[in-house]
Amino acid sequence: MPSLTEAVAVSVPGALVGVTDWCTHPAHLDVPRVGGTKNPKLEPILALAPDLVIANEEENREPDLTALREAGVEVLVTEVRDVPQAFRELARVLQACGAGSRPRWLEEAEETWSSLPVPDARTTAVVPIWRRPWMVLGRDTFAGDVLARLGVDHLYADHPGRYPRVPLDELRAAAPDLVVLPDEPYRFTAEDGPEAFPGVPCALVSGRHLTWYGPSLAEAPGALAEALRAARR
């Protein structure tokens, strides 16, 4: 889980013995790679003899976690659906990894989010996370809560699915004020994404700032707010 990898790496140096292929932060992290979040390599994980495996209920598959438990490994599973829950789960993870106290970055990030000004106005948006097929943020997501706290209400927040597939013509017909295009999990760019929504402002945002819960939380409000302002200029 890349965001949790970053949180542990900067808070409890030396604790990590293995990470996923997608763990990009901190830079130059020099530990074995053990597959992806959806396809972990169980034998190499077990060979590392970890005291603990940290997982996430959304990103990791239950059969893999069950296999690790049956092999005798303790597995801590996080659940993060909003910003306050992210802070609670981060504290739980870091404590389980041996952090003696809450790291400074966590205190600063929590203070940053708790002191956000009330938005002057609300903006409606659709937030694609994939194309071919088009998928968007739906109900009960961390990224949706992040945007809501910055004054952006995504139009599928009440959808029965968390990441529903929605045809492009339906997304256009929803008539959002704004389209928010992150660079992960699908890498939307200025040349790949905005052309599908002619006449609608598109905000290209960092997926790390929108979807990760870790040290990036401290800078996320400022970075996202600037990207949103730039799209509306």
Side-chain angles (χ1 to χ4, degrees), residues 219-232:
E219 63 193 43
L224 291 170
E226 177 54 33
L228 296 169
R229 282 194 298 269
R232 293 191 287 253

Side-chain angles (χ1 to χ4, degrees), residues 140-153:
D140 198 22
T141 65
F142 171 75
D145 187 57
V146 165
L147 290 171
R149 292 168 186 271
L150 298 174
V152 178
D153 301 312

Side-chain angles (χ1 to χ4, degrees), residues 1-15:
M1 183 65 185
S3 57
L4 294 176
T5 288
E6 183 181 17
V8 174
V10 302
S11 306
V12 194

Side-chain angles (χ1 to χ4, degrees), residues 111-125:
E111 172 60 28
T112 297
W113 280 97
S114 64
S115 60
L116 286 180
V118 176
D120 294 332
R122 309 296 301 181
T123 300
T124 63

